[in-house]
């Protein structure tokens, strides 16, 4: 029997396949707190680094006031405010897992 944590991660990977979901949506689907989703995400990213058939995709946060997109953000969580206009109306990032080609080969 697998430890529960692993099960949650596997379910997250299944849910994220070929789609884009925010941490909030994942939390709703899994029935766990959003904070826990955010804790699991880096592990999922890590586990997919070596996976040549799949690729973790981050759909970055954007400011709904000025349109600034947080492309260079390395953290997976939602930024609290926009660095350009200081607005807090920042959309949550969304995550997904695409099946990619095996790159060079
Ligand atoms: Zn802004």
């Amino acid at each position: 029997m697998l430890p529960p944590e692993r099960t949650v991660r596997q379910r997250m990977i299944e849910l994220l396949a070929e789609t884009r979901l925010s941490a909030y949506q994942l939390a709703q689907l899994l029935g766990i707190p959003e904070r826990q989703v955010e804790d699991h995400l880096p592990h999922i990213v890590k586990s997919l680094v070596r996976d040549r058939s799949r690729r973790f995709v981050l759909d970055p946060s954007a400011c709904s006031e000025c349109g600034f997109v947080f492309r260079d953000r390395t953290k997976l969580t939602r930024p609290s405010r926009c660095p350009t206009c200081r607005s807090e109306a920042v959309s949550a990032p969304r995550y997904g897992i695409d099946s990619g080609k095996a790159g060079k080969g």
Side-chain angles (χ1 to χ4, degrees), residues 3-17:
E5 260 191 33
R6 188 179 164 110
T7 306
V8 171
R9 284 181 202 163
Q10 286 180 336
R11 284 177 65 198
M12 281 175 73
I13 288 171
E14 285 164 19
L15 286 169
L16 289 169

Side-chain angles (χ1 to χ4, degrees), residues 63-68 82-87:
C63 173
S64 49
E65 291 290 328
C66 73
F68 177 83
C82 176
T84 306
C85 72
R86 303 279 161 208
S87 167

Side-chain angles (χ1 to χ4, degrees), residues 10-84:
Q10 286 180 336
R11 284 177 65 198
M12 281 175 73
I13 288 171
E14 285 164 19
L15 286 169
L16 289 169
E18 311 299 338
T19 186
R20 300 289 183 271
L21 294 170
S22 67
Y24 176 81
Q25 287 173 308
L26 277 168
Q28 298 291 302
L29 289 164
L30 292 162
I32 61 172
E34 203 173 332
R35 179 182 286 256
Q36 273 185 38
V37 170
E38 290 172 349
D39 284 346
H40 284 302
L41 279 169
H43 297 280
I44 289 172
V45 174
K46 212 170 161 185
S47 72
L48 290 174
V49 166
R50 288 164 161 223
D51 192 329
R52 287 174 152 262
S53 63
R54 288 178 298 180
R55 173 170 83 89
F56 185 86
V57 181
L58 175 66
D59 198 3
S61 302
C63 173
S64 49
E65 291 290 328
C66 73
F68 177 83
V69 178
F70 292 74
R71 289 190 199 286
D72 296 330
R73 187 174 169 85
T74 49
K75 280 189 187 174
L76 295 166
T77 51
R78 189 176 78 90
S80 54
R81 67 172 64 217
C82 176
T84 306

